[in-house]
Amino acid sequence: MRGRFQALLVTMACAGSLMLCWLSAAVVALVTLRKGTAQGAWLLLWAVLPAGALLLFLGDSGPLALLLSTTALAVVLRSTLSLPFAVLSTVPLGVLSGLALLLFGQGMLEQMVGFFDQFLSSLEQQLSGSGDSAVELLRPTALQIAGMMGAANAIVALACLMLARWWQAMLYNPGGFAKEFRALYFPPVVAAVLSVAALALVGLGIEYRSWAVIVLIPFGFAGLALVHARVAWRGQGTGWLLGFYLAWLFFDPLKLLVVFAAIADSWFKFRQRWVSKSDAPNDSDEDQN
């Protein structure tokens, strides 16, 4: 935010790193949100150079896809001023990312299919041991892997957008992002459409389950927002949130629970119920009256 040169230096340096490309994407998003689409596009064009070099020489399209995806989400957020709409945009973004891999990334997908085949074969041998019964594990197909990578790209891009939005609030509106994030909510119609779409993809077979994850990404972030809102309403500290996120990272059932909580929140509006309980007079107030 101090100048073009500083932003350009950080963006290009991180865009050429497989480990730090997320930081470059977040910087481009911050400039887009604060300075406008034109300034963000100018910065993106320079960041594409090192990211494109990684694609050309290493065959890794991840940094380039992350830069383009995060910038697209930032443009949506700046244009609509709606965080829920920007979060919903991860669904078409993830689908397009997966389809792009299927169309243009066959070489990468074949390498990953081979990697998983070798890894699972080694794991089968270890699990079988000296026993008579052989263990057979399902191999992911190229279609599954494309869905997984599309989902991963959408999730990381949305996380980069959230980071940029937090930076923006820290600089110009302290505490604003916390209120905006805790209010993240989807109306019942949107929740119903996404739920039906996810169930339909799951019903098509195991190959499409990773694509169903893309449809559930907005619920995952809305569920986390609901947890933050609950913690703020109860006045709990950051220690409780840290413990929750550690459990969330390692226990998949908790991830599903967060998704289901976000879906239920669309109909039951838990935040409004919590506020209503806080505003309701207690027994002692009634006795005094």
Side-chain angles (χ1 to χ4, degrees), residues 5 22 80 94 120-121 152 172 176 184 187 196 208 211 216 225 274 283:
F5 179 75
W22 59 271
T80 63
L120 293 175
S121 297
Y172 306 105
L184 182 59
V196 171
Y208 292 90
W211 295 83
L216 296 176
W274 298 336
D283 296 336

Side-chain angles (χ1 to χ4, degrees), residues 6-40:
Q6 290 87 341
L8 180 62
L9 181 63
V10 173
T11 302
M12 292 193 66
C14 296
S17 170
L18 294 175
M19 299 297 295
L20 297 176
C21 57
W22 59 271
L23 185 58
S24 177
V27 171
V28 174
L30 173 61
V31 173
T32 303
L33 292 174
R34 182 61 185 175
K35 300 292 186 178
T37 303
Q39 291 291 332

Side-chain angles (χ1 to χ4, degrees), residues 31 35 41 65 67 74 79 96 106 113 124 128-129 141 186 203 206 208 211 214 241 247 253 260 273 284:
V31 173
K35 300 292 186 178
L67 275 169
S79 301
L96 289 175
Q106 286 295 327
V113 168
E124 286 174 348
S128 299
T141 63
F186 298 109
I206 191 172
Y208 292 90
W211 295 83
I214 298 176
L241 276 176
F260 291 144
R273 292 172 180 265
S284 58

Side-chain angles (χ1 to χ4, degrees), residues 16 22 92 96 100 102 108 110 118 121 157 170 174 179 197 200 210 213 229 236 246 264-265 270 277 279:
W22 59 271
L96 289 175
L102 288 174
M108 177 186 295
E110 289 176 1
Q118 293 180 358
S121 297
M170 291 287 290
K179 295 179 181 178
S210 59
V213 173
Q236 296 170 317
L246 288 175
D265 181 50
F270 296 132
K277 290 181 180 180
D279 294 339

Side-chain angles (χ1 to χ4, degrees), residues 94-95 98-99 102 143 146-147 201 207-215:
V95 172
L99 291 177
L102 288 174
L143 181 61
L201 287 170
E207 286 189 324
Y208 292 90
R209 291 181 182 177
S210 59
W211 295 83
V213 173
I214 298 176
V215 180

Side-chain angles (χ1 to χ4, degrees), residues 183-200:
L184 182 59
Y185 157 87
F186 298 109
V189 174
V190 174
V193 171
L194 292 180
S195 300
V196 171
L199 290 174

Side-chain angles (χ1 to χ4, degrees), residues 2 9 23 27 41 51 54 59-60 72 78 114 148 158 175-176 179 223 241 249 280 282 289:
R2 291 182 178 178
L9 181 63
L23 185 58
V27 171
L54 289 176
D60 193 334
R78 179 176 173 84
M148 290 165 45
L158 184 53
K179 295 179 181 178
L241 276 176
L249 284 173
N282 54 37
N289 293 334

Side-chain angles (χ1 to χ4, degrees), residues 71-116:
T71 305
L73 292 179
V75 171
V76 171
L77 181 55
R78 179 176 173 84
S79 301
T80 63
L81 300 178
S82 172
L83 184 62
F85 194 85
V87 174
L88 282 177
S89 300
T90 57
V91 176
L93 190 65
V95 172
L96 289 175
S97 299
L99 291 177
L101 278 174
L102 288 174
L103 293 175
F104 307 108
Q106 286 295 327
M108 177 186 295
L109 292 177
E110 289 176 1
Q111 291 180 357
M112 297 194 68
V113 168
F115 169 78
F116 278 109

